[in-house]
Amino acid sequence: MATTRQAHTVWEGNLLQGTGTVTFDSSGIADQAVSWPSRAETANGKTSPEELIAAAHSSCFSMALSNGLAKAGTPPTRLTTQADVTFQPGTGITGIHLTVQGEVPGMDAADFEKAAEDAKVNCPVSQALTGTTITLSASLV
C-alpha cells in the first residue's frame, strides 16, 4: 500500500529578505523556520531545503542498508549515516556525500562497502535524486 506524506511552507516577502515556515503536516513535528541566508550562508537556527534533503537521504539510506545487511544474514548493531548536501547559489545542489559508519558483527570492510554501495543506489531517496552526483564513504567501527 502506498503512503503519501505532506509538508507545506508559508513564505512571506522576497527571496533575500523574506522568511518562511515549514510545517510537517504528516508527523506533526515542530515547525521549522527557513530563509535565504539560512540556505546560502549560515544556518543561524533555521533549516534549508538542503538540510531537509540531507535528513531524508541519511534516514532512507540507513534503512536500506540495515535491510540489506539483515537479508544477507549480518544485521547491523548500529549504523551512523551523515548526508552532506552541497548547495551553490546560482547553480543549485552540486552533490551529496553519504558517510556511514557501521557496527556489523561478522562482516569485513569490503563486504560492508559493497552493501553500502548497493543501499546508496537502491534507497528510494537516492533514486529520486538521480540527477545529482551521490558519493559514499563507508567504514566499520
Side-chain angles (χ1 to χ4, degrees), residues 7-8 19-20 32 38 42 51 55 77-79 81 83 89 103 110 112 116 130-131 140:
H8 75 274
T19 60
Q32 296 296 314
S38 70
T42 304
E51 183 178 39
T77 302
R78 180 186 202 99
L79 299 171
T81 305
E103 295 175 27
F112 182 70
T130 56
L140 292 170

Side-chain angles (χ1 to χ4, degrees), residues 11-80:
W11 186 268
E12 297 177 352
N14 66 29
L15 174 63
L16 299 179
Q17 287 82 35
T19 60
T21 302
V22 178
T23 300
F24 298 90
D25 300 314
S26 299
S27 64
I29 60 175
D31 293 352
Q32 296 296 314
V34 63
S35 69
W36 178 256
S38 70
R39 184 177 194 184
E41 298 166 17
T42 304
N44 288 326
K46 297 177 183 172
T47 194
S48 68
E50 291 72 28
E51 183 178 39
L52 298 172
I53 290 170
H57 205 175
S58 66
S59 60
C60 182
F61 171 85
S62 294
M63 288 184 219
L65 180 53
S66 176
N67 186 50
L69 292 168
K71 284 183 174 180
T74 52
T77 302
R78 180 186 202 99
L79 299 171
T80 303

Side-chain angles (χ1 to χ4, degrees), residues 87-107:
F87 173 73
Q88 177 64 48
T91 301
I93 295 173
T94 58
I96 300 171
H97 185 73
L98 298 170
T99 303
V100 62
Q101 293 183 324
E103 295 175 27
V104 187
M107 178 166 271

